[in-house]
Amino acid sequence: MAYTFRGGIHPGTKDDPGFKSATNTKPIEVLKAPDQVILPVSMHIGAPAKVLVKKGDIVDLGQMIAEAGGFVSAPVHASVSGKVIDVAPRLHQNGSKVMSVVIENDHEDRLHESVKPKDFESMTNDERIQAIWDAGIVGHGGATFPTHVKIKSGIGKCDTILINGAECEPYITSDHRLLLERPEEIVEGVRYLVKIMGVKQAFICIELNKQDTFAKIEQLLAGDPIIKLAPLECRYPQGAEKQLINAVTGREVPSGKLPADAGCAVFNVDTAGAVYRCFAKGMPVIRRVVTVSGSAIAEPKNLEARVGTCVTELIDACGGFKKDPNKLLAGGPMMGNAQFTTDVPVLKGTNAFLAFAEDEDKRVKDPTCIRCGRCVGVCPMHLVPVYMNMFASRNNLEGCEEYDVLDCIECGSCAYVCPARIPLVQQFRVAKMRVQEKRRAEAAAAKK
Amino acid sequence: MYDFSKVVITSSPHIKSKEDTRSIMCDVLIALLPSLFVSTYVFGLRVILMTAVSVAACLVFETIYNKIVGKANTIGDLSAAVTGVLLAFVCPVTLPYWMLIVGAGVSIILAKSLFGGLGKNFINPALAGRAFLLASWPVAMTTWVTAGSRAGLLSNSQETLDAITAATPLAIIKGSAEGDLPSIASMLWGMCGGSMGEVSAIALLIGGAYLLFRKVISFHTPAAYIGTVAVLTLLFPAGGLGHVQSMLYGLFSGGLMLGAFFMATDYSTSPVSHKGQVVFGIGCGLLTVMIRYFGGYPEGVCYSILLMNTTVWLIDKYTRPTKFGAPAKQKKEG
């Protein structure tokens, strides 16, 4: 029996469910290391990392070039060996310029002395968590929350680890290919995580559209008393932490709280892989598997690129564009960020880069709500987007709060099904910001 | 270098489902076709002409209103066309064309556009038009011809039709009209007196099934509505009929199918959550049977839905889904 949650959508066509057929059978291709990498100090949620190198320095592969800027922060490592040619703000996927270290590749891939296997068994738990922190591991599913924070704050509170292989976003197949091609790394990584967190059960959660990965994983898990495979029905946004926890364990993360409050810690499959590489090879996060797909891409592929590789090189490796792109996306089509150029680096959380030739967004002028209620049926947070939109469009912040706009996870299910094409998520993002501003202002006024 | 001159930046999500307002309204029109065919077979070509006049009037009224208030024309969403077909379907085939046009004006201008147009009107436009016509010209609105008789295509005269008038099954059951009850089978196929689009339960069920299949509507409203009527007419038989007979006549007469599948499911004027739709459907069913049994009219579908339309905001408020991760206390209340 496959697990699932209530609400959600399943984009795609009959012949191409989830729009994944362009790349789900294509093996991961390792992209040649580029001549230059751009490594922003913000590739995670939290404080930016602090740069440790200066222009002209020679750095080795895997060398820490920026240290964590606080507890909720992650260091950055050189993804090639070579010379630092610039430390300056560069264009980031978030659309602004972010302080970045630019390294010219000497193509020697000279390993840094710190890159060596660690003796996991003889380390204390604090040392293990420190090792994960030092390796710059963040949530590889796209949210990029620093993994050590999740582990540290979850120990004692969590009895369950969920490994997120839902990959419910349309088009993306990078986790699918990793599960198929490198399941040993992932399963070993989960074993490390189970030991560190001391949980009594762990589930590797995979949607049924990746059934070809099940046999090998079950074989690797045979006899394991703690780790189990949890098949999931295909449903977006099943990979959202709260929905995944609900699907597999039946628990609900309380409103405004974290997964740890429901006793669960959720890690992406590639985060588990990164944990494995951290202990078994001593390798920090320097690579990333990216699905390059969409109707404008000549030959869609799954590419493994060094972190900091310019996305243009990935597009080149896919034969360039077959049509002029109408939309460029870093991430999936449901929650990814629109880009205006491919001149941005691959980041730790870049699971996909998509290019659409046609207008898939179908915006209309003056959209009118017809109250069809489709949004109510699909909201995975069980909210009422039709009323939230009504209040938001009138700038009625009390109404927005009353209808729990702050619980919105911005998954986009409501906007996807909306026949009137109302940009609901955009409305709610603005409303959330305004409500939070209002709350801050009220808190400040109360202080005075 | 690549050409990014056509690239647009928008907020996520970046893909949308195929369905839009127009395609949904188009589905509703398709779902109404079986009933139109049967009705034309039963009452003659005047049905087609009446429907066409009603649709044209609705489109013209909406265009004129939009022109006057300076809004972009909205007839492209086809919702006015749906209103036009539904209005024609709830009128007798012998209604003079000019009355139908007045009804269309009330539907589109008074009931819909003045409240802000599609999605903002709080009562069903087609039913509002019918209620207005029934109050203004009660005789013309309750003159029914027997199945198989052919009303003149262009004739507007009531007298020529008097010889062949027939009572609706509900009026006979109620005792407000004389005549023999048609058989259940003839009511299923539509061989009985009644409004144009309401006579054939089978044709309407086919249309309803199409709407359910296309996921234009969910089963909640029609199931709750029809179920409530079924239970009540079964438990409390009317007009000296047996229990089951009473239920069958209750279900297949008087536009219940048209109301349950096409009117009570109108998006603008029904609740947004499934829970709310069930409450709404039960309310419609209760009122329909109460009006049929205790009211002044033999038929209750129209007024029951109009009355329930006015309670939608209340139903929406009290059937709001409990949000994910709500505190346990809130859950108990919900």
Side-chain angles (χ1 to χ4, degrees):
Chain A
M1 194 208 74
Y3 300 99
T4 198
F5 63 101
R6 186 159 65 84
I9 54 172
H10 187 47
T13 62
K14 213 172 204 174
D15 301 327
D16 190 4
F19 298 114
K20 290 176 189 275
S21 67
T23 53
N24 63 2
T25 55
K26 293 196 180 155
I28 298 167
E29 261 181 53
V30 178
L31 190 70
K32 196 175 136 293
D35 294 334
Q36 176 191 303
V37 290
I38 299 165
L39 298 161
V41 294
S42 278
M43 289 197 263
H44 51 264
I45 288 179
K50 282 190 222 127
V51 177
L52 298 170
V53 294
K54 59 185 187 303
K55 199 170 162 178
D57 284 1
I58 302 295
V59 293
D60 299 336
L61 179 64
Q63 180 180 344
M64 192 188 286
I65 54 166
E67 61 178 1
F71 179 60
V72 184
S73 181
V76 177
H77 301 81
S79 57
V80 294
S81 60
K83 190 170 149 194
V84 176
I85 54 171
D86 204 2
V87 179
R90 291 293 181 101
L91 187 64
H92 186 276
Q93 289 179 5
N94 67 12
S96 63
K97 289 195 171 175
V98 170
M99 184 56 72
S100 304
V101 176
V102 185
I103 303 171
E104 189 183 51
N105 190 359
D106 59 14
H107 292 285
E108 284 177 23
D109 275 354
R110 199 172 49 251
L111 277 186
H112 189 250
E113 56 187 19
S114 65
V115 180
K116 48 179 187 275
K118 294 175 175 57
D119 183 11
F120 183 83
E121 295 302 333
S122 69
M123 293 165 89
T124 67
N125 227 14
D126 282 340
E127 283 169 351
R128 292 165 178 169
I129 296 169
Q130 186 65 41
I132 286 174
W133 191 0
D134 288 342
I137 301 175
V138 300
H140 281 199
T144 65
F145 188 75
T147 300
H148 69 277
V149 182
K150 219 180 228 184
I151 294 175
K152 201 146 194 175
S153 61
I155 290 179
K157 279 175 104 175
C158 297
D159 59 4
T160 304
I161 285 179
L162 299 176
I163 299 303
N164 190 347
E167 198 162 52
C168 54
E169 273 259 11
Y171 292 93
I172 309 180
T173 56
S174 53
D175 288 349
H176 183 177
R177 294 312 303 182
L178 282 168
L179 282 164
L180 198 60
E181 296 176 35
R182 300 172 194 173
E184 297 85 358
E185 291 192 1
I186 294 164
V187 169
E188 279 308 306
V190 183
R191 294 206 164 110
Y192 286 134
L193 285 167
V194 165
K195 277 185 193 154
I196 295 171
M197 295 196 69
V199 294
K200 54 179 201 281
Q201 54 176 359
F203 295 96
I204 300 179
C205 317
I206 308 172
E207 285 193 351
L208 291 175
N209 57 7
K210 293 175 269 292
Q211 276 191 46
D212 51 352
T213 65
F214 288 7
K216 181 73 185 169
I217 288 172
E218 265 171 349
Q219 186 197 327
L220 291 170
L221 290 178
D224 195 304
I226 295 173
I227 310 170
K228 302 268 179 302
L229 176 70
L232 304 168
E233 275 175 33
C234 299
R235 201 139 195 84
Y236 175 88
Q238 197 140 243
E241 280 187 331
K242 292 180 177 182
Q243 276 62 42
L244 187 70
I245 293 168
N246 184 242
V248 178
T249 69
R251 300 175 195 169
E252 282 194 15
V253 178
S255 171
K257 296 283 174 59
L258 294 169
D261 295 298
C264 293
V266 183
F267 302 99
N268 176 262
V269 288
D270 194 39
T271 306
V275 169
Y276 163 81
R277 291 188 288 274
C278 157
F279 289 110
K281 309 256 170 73
M283 188 57 89
V285 180
I286 56 152
R287 291 163 193 268
R288 170 78 234 183
V289 178
V290 185
T291 299
V292 183
S293 187
S295 54
I297 300 288
E299 199 194 330
K301 282 179 179 175
N302 298 297
L303 294 170
E304 181 171 25
R306 303 288 172 100
V307 171
T309 307
C310 181
V311 170
T312 310
E313 303 205 22
L314 274 66
I315 305 287
D316 290 341
C318 294
F321 296 110
K322 61 182 177 193
K323 287 178 196 156
D324 284 341
N326 169 276
K327 180 84 63 81
L328 300 169
L329 298 175
M334 295 303 295
M335 292 188 76
N337 273 336
Q339 308 288 311
F340 56 87
T341 172
T342 54
D343 212 4
V344 288
V346 169
L347 308 179
K348 290 177 185 173
T350 308
N351 46 11
F353 200 93
L354 307 178
F356 294 128
E358 317 298 332
D359 173 26
E360 312 267 350
D361 193 31
K362 304 170 185 148
R363 296 222 160 204
V364 298
K365 220 179 140 216
D366 300 327
T368 307
C369 175
I370 58 171
R371 282 180 48 91
C372 65
R374 282 170 171 71
C375 51
V376 185
V378 300
C379 180
M381 297 306 289
H382 311 158
L383 306 178
V384 194
V386 45
Y387 281 98
M388 285 153 64
N389 174 57
M390 190 180 85
F391 291 123
S393 59
R394 293 172 194 171
N395 208 10
N396 179 341
L397 296 184
E398 286 77 18
C400 290
E401 265 184 294
E402 161 69 26
Y403 273 78
D404 300 310
V405 76
L406 292 182
D407 282 276
C408 170
I409 58 169
E410 301 176 19
C411 69
S413 298
C414 55
Y416 175 83
V417 295
C418 181
R421 310 265 183 254
I422 301 170
L424 292 163
V425 176
Q426 188 175 335
Q427 290 269 43
F428 302 153
R429 282 204 181 105
V430 175
K432 279 165 90 171
M433 253 155 53
R434 291 214 175 115
V435 168
Q436 273 155 349
E437 264 167 33
K438 193 186 87 161
R439 287 194 174 174
R440 275 196 296 271
E442 281 166 1
K447 254 184 197 168
K448 277 177 195 168
Chain B
M1 272 317 287
Y2 297 119
D3 177 15
F4 296 134
S5 57
K6 285 186 201 148
V7 170
V8 291
I9 302 286
T10 57
S11 173
S12 66
H14 305 284
I15 53 171
K16 303 282 164 70
S17 71
K18 276 198 218 71
E19 290 172 317
D20 60 9
T21 305
R22 189 185 161 89
S23 75
I24 288 170
M25 295 301 165
C26 213
D27 272 337
V28 177
L29 291 174
I30 292 169
L32 286 164
L33 283 180
S35 185
L36 182 70
F37 292 146
V38 173
S39 188
T40 308
Y41 174 75
V42 173
F43 296 120
L45 281 178
R46 189 178 163 103
V47 172
I48 304 257
L49 195 57
M50 287 283 277
T51 308
V53 166
S54 178
V55 169
C58 285
L59 295 177
V60 168
F61 280 122
E62 185 148 303
T63 307
I64 293 173
Y65 180 87
N66 286 331
K67 272 258 156 61
I68 293 172
V69 299
K71 271 171 63 172
N73 203 350
T74 49
I75 59 168
D77 63 29
L78 295 181
S79 64
V82 170
T83 300
V85 176
L86 289 176
L87 177 67
F89 274 22
V90 291
C91 292
V93 69
T94 49
L95 190 76
Y97 290 107
W98 68 269
M99 288 187 195
L100 191 60
I101 293 170
V102 172
V106 172
S107 291
I108 293 297
I109 307 277
L110 282 183
K112 184 180 170 192
S113 298
L114 284 179
F115 289 97
L118 180 63
K120 300 192 182 67
N121 53 306
F122 75 100
I123 54 171
N124 187 306
L127 289 178
R130 179 190 138 97
F132 177 87
L133 291 176
L134 191 60
S136 308
W137 297 286
V139 175
M141 280 298 284
T142 51
T143 301
W144 317 104
V145 293
T146 45
S149 62
R150 294 280 179 267
L153 254 190
L154 299 173
S155 156
N156 265 349
S157 155
Q158 292 293 315
E159 292 89 40
T160 56
L161 299 163
D162 277 352
I164 45 165
T165 52
T168 63
L170 280 175
I172 297 167
I173 291 172
K174 196 165 177 117
S176 58
E178 303 227 330
D180 297 324
L181 267 179
S183 69
I184 296 288
S186 61
M187 282 172 54
L188 273 176
W189 294 110
M191 300 307 286
C192 60
S195 301
M196 274 182 271
E198 71 179 29
V199 285
S200 171
I202 292 256
L204 291 164
L205 279 169
I206 292 170
Y210 176 77
L211 290 184
L212 286 170
F213 171 72
R214 296 279 295 163
K215 295 195 173 117
V216 169
I217 60 172
S218 77
F219 67 89
H220 297 82
T221 309
Y225 192 168
I226 295 170
T228 305
V229 172
V231 168
L232 288 176
T233 49
L234 182 74
L235 292 180
F236 308 106
L241 296 169
H243 288 271
V244 176
Q245 225 185 358
S246 160
M247 181 182 82
L248 292 176
Y249 277 105
L251 291 184
F252 300 133
S253 64
L256 179 68
M257 295 297 154
L258 185 65
F261 284 102
F262 294 91
M263 307 283 201
T265 54
D266 173 34
Y267 292 148
S268 300
T269 58
S270 64
V272 292
S273 71
H274 291 326
K275 210 185 344 175
Q277 286 162 1
V278 171
V279 174
F280 184 81
I282 292 173
C284 288
L286 269 174
L287 285 172
T288 299
V289 175
M290 299 235 306
I291 294 171
R292 281 183 184 177
Y293 282 17
F294 308 114
Y297 292 101
E299 169 51 335
V301 169
C302 170
Y303 288 112
S304 71
I305 296 174
L306 284 175
L307 281 171
M308 287 308 291
N309 284 163
T310 63
T311 67
V312 164
W313 66 275
L314 199 68
I315 294 175
D316 269 350
K317 193 171 166 183
Y318 288 104
T319 57
R320 191 176 139 193
T322 310
K323 75 172 173 184
F324 186 97
K329 207 175 101 206
Q330 207 175 317
K331 280 225 140 150
K332 269 175 211 153
E333 284 167 13

